[in-house]
Amino acid sequence: MAFDTALAPVPDTADALTEIARATGTTYILALFVTLAGKPCAKLVPVAAADRLATDGAGFAGYAAGTMGQQPRDPDLIAIPDVSTFTPIPFIRPGLAIVHCDPHVDGKPWPFAPRNVLAASLARAAERGMTVNVGAEIEYFLVDRDSGGALRTADRADTSAQPCYDARDVTRMYDHLTEVSAAMNTLGWGNYASDHEDANGQFEQNFDYADAMTTADRVITARYLLSVIAEKRGMRATFMPKPFTDRTGSGMHLHLSLWNGKGSLFPDAADSRGLGLSATAYAAIAGILEHACALQAVLAPTVNSYKRIGATSTSSGATWSPRYATYGGNDRTQYLRVPDSNRVELRGGDGSANPYLAVAATVAAALDGIDRELDPGDPGTGAVHGDMLPMTLLHAMDALDADPVISGALDGAGPGVSSYFSGLKREEFFAWHNTVSSWEIDRYLTAF
């Protein structure tokens, strides 16, 4: 049975959550939200209390949850479920479902909640008559530890110099990959491929694009599913940007397109630059490129991110990580790749990025380019055509603090988010310099 809740009608009543839960055989609901750092937080609610969850929400001590802009003295975060996101996951536990929630405090949307930040950014697009569609590529490693505690590839036979797409490596992970694929397709996500990526132990499973909020919700759900399914087989799925010094890191590439009531705003067959794009698409590209350095603070928000960006070589011979703010056609060395006339692919993000914040900031940059009718110039084919991206988290934070458009996107749901986010990341940067490297691995393996 497929549970495509994005297409299913949701009753417009106070007991809608109970109705849809009982209709899908749900007995327990994970009422879930994420922190600014991307940590999934949830309470397990029995279906008998679903009406109370829908009406009153689930209460959380925000400071205990993590990076949510709260202190121990502050009022509870109240997670209000968005019933349209209801997602049965009986393949994880019989009768279990997830519903994504919007945190509120004192009856108002909490500005430090990432989902609320994205909602504010999408509202600004809607004011211009635009909707945003996004596709996301989630790369991850399957790892475990040896008897000495060192991190290693879970599949000990995955040792070839160029493992990307290797059918033998894919086959050995068949049970894991097919279980994930079946889960995604049961949910109506449209998983259309699973593959071995460029590094030993690294995989990716693709699913169809959707509206921006739905895709961000699905990234969070997918990370949860991948982690839990891997744990069933004694492995750990990590989205850490660069867990191995000599291997390719894990990205989170975002495919972006803008639409109005008539269709996509990106294609234009008369494009003289040869990419088939409209003036609107080029202006959006120009906005993203102009704000790229500040964007990296959100797209690559950890110390470890810059080990991926700063890498000059890997065992496979390529890093697949852009170092300059450039754009071009079907060229994976570019910061913005144009695979076809319907979308652009932003390649600067990595597995530690919070999808809500990443999309919110990217949309803000694109809209700024459109509002100002910016021109990115001709497509570049090399690094000399664009600004160099920040090489450390500290440099990225400096760029964020100096960019009112990207910092304003974080503050879109309310003031203070940008400075709080920047403060957290600066604290992380300096903490990393005063700790041993094992702290970093343990931190990132458990965070995302």
Side-chain angles (χ1 to χ4, degrees):
M1 178 180 180
F3 299 104
D4 192 347
T5 54
L7 300 178
V10 177
D12 186 20
T13 63
D15 58 354
L17 186 59
T18 299
E19 290 183 27
I20 194 170
R22 288 178 174 164
T24 54
T26 296
T27 52
Y28 284 90
I29 302 168
L30 281 171
L32 185 145
F33 69 92
V34 300
T35 66
L36 287 170
K39 171 190 170 184
C41 303
K43 282 193 172 181
L44 187 63
V45 179
V47 71
D51 283 350
R52 182 184 301 180
L53 172 63
T55 303
D56 301 330
F60 295 80
Y63 182 77
T67 52
M68 289 298 293
Q70 285 208 319
Q71 296 297 318
R73 63 180 178 272
D74 290 326
D76 280 359
L77 290 176
I78 305 300
I80 305 298
D82 179 346
V83 181
S84 71
T85 70
F86 185 87
T87 306
I89 50 172
F91 39 80
I92 298 298
R93 294 289 190 277
L96 184 61
I98 290 174
V99 65
H100 291 276
C101 299
D102 297 315
H104 287 59
V105 174
D106 291 335
K108 298 179 181 178
W110 185 236
F112 295 84
R115 206 168 187 269
N116 293 338
V117 173
L118 177 54
S121 193
L122 297 179
R124 290 192 292 274
E127 290 170 359
R128 294 161 174 80
M130 300 178 186
T131 57
V132 183
N133 282 336
V134 174
E137 300 178 23
I138 305 173
E139 297 175 346
Y140 64 99
F141 282 85
L142 291 172
V143 298
D144 60 15
R145 292 185 184 275
D146 64 21
S147 58
L151 195 68
R152 64 183 181 182
T153 306
D155 176 9
R156 242 73 81 209
D158 188 349
T159 59
S160 64
Q162 288 191 306
C164 197
Y165 308 129
D166 194 307
R168 296 161 296 185
D169 295 338
V170 170
T171 303
R172 284 194 301 276
M173 282 297 172
Y174 180 87
D175 290 344
H176 169 83
L177 296 174
T178 55
E179 185 171 351
V180 172
S181 175
M184 290 180 173
N185 285 328
T186 296
L187 298 176
W189 293 8
N191 168 247
Y192 55 88
S194 303
D195 68 74
H196 194 298
E197 282 295 310
D198 192 56
N200 300 115
Q202 187 184 41
F203 295 88
E204 176 181 303
Q205 282 151 294
N206 304 111
F207 51 92
D208 290 341
Y209 75 90
D211 68 274
M213 186 67 78
T214 295
T215 292
D217 288 339
R218 288 177 177 176
V219 169
I220 296 300
T221 303
R223 289 176 178 172
Y224 166 81
L225 296 177
L226 287 163
S227 297
V228 173
I229 290 171
E231 287 173 359
K232 289 168 58 176
R233 295 182 172 85
M235 303 181 292
R236 176 168 285 177
T238 178
F239 311 96
M240 182 179 180
K242 195 164 175 65
F244 298 97
T245 301
D246 62 342
R247 303 185 200 177
T248 306
S250 289
M252 185 182 73
H253 302 152
L254 297 174
H255 295 254
L256 176 75
S257 59
L258 299 175
W259 298 65
N260 64 14
K262 297 180 180 179
S264 176
L265 297 171
F266 273 20
D268 185 350
D271 176 16
S272 61
R273 288 172 171 155
L275 297 180
L277 296 178
S278 66
T280 298
Y282 280 115
I285 287 171
I288 293 171
L289 295 179
E290 179 163 308
H291 297 288
C293 291
L295 267 176
Q296 286 305 105
V298 184
L299 297 173
T302 60
V303 170
N304 186 256
S305 299
Y306 296 87
K307 294 185 176 182
R308 172 178 174 268
I309 293 171
T312 57
S313 65
T314 67
S315 58
S316 73
T319 68
W320 307 105
S321 178
R323 300 183 72 183
Y324 294 84
T326 62
Y327 88 103
N330 194 7
D331 176 353
R332 288 177 171 83
T333 67
Q334 307 289 341
Y335 186 71
L336 277 175
R337 168 179 167 249
V338 184
D340 55 51
S341 62
N342 297 306
R343 59 198 160 116
V344 296
E345 179 192 27
L346 176 57
R347 297 180 59 80
D350 65 42
S352 66
N354 184 315
Y356 301 106
L357 303 183
V359 175
T362 302
V363 169
L367 293 179
D368 184 58
I370 293 169
D371 289 346
R372 294 162 57 202
E373 299 181 343
L374 298 181
D375 187 336
D378 291 332
T381 57
V384 297
H385 294 281
D387 293 332
M388 189 172 186
L389 299 173
M391 285 291 103
T392 72
L393 180 61
L394 186 61
H395 289 93
M397 288 305 113
D398 288 341
L400 174 64
D401 291 344
D403 190 319
V405 170
I406 303 306
S407 60
L410 299 185
D411 290 335
V417 181
S418 177
S419 58
Y420 178 76
F421 180 84
S422 180
L424 290 171
K425 299 307 173 182
R426 290 176 185 277
E427 180 180 339
E428 178 178 293
F429 178 84
F430 291 114
W432 177 80
H433 279 275
N434 294 311
T435 55
V436 295
S437 59
S438 63
W439 171 89
E440 187 182 19
I441 288 178
D442 288 334
R443 158 80 170 84
Y444 290 119
L445 282 176
T446 58
F448 311 111

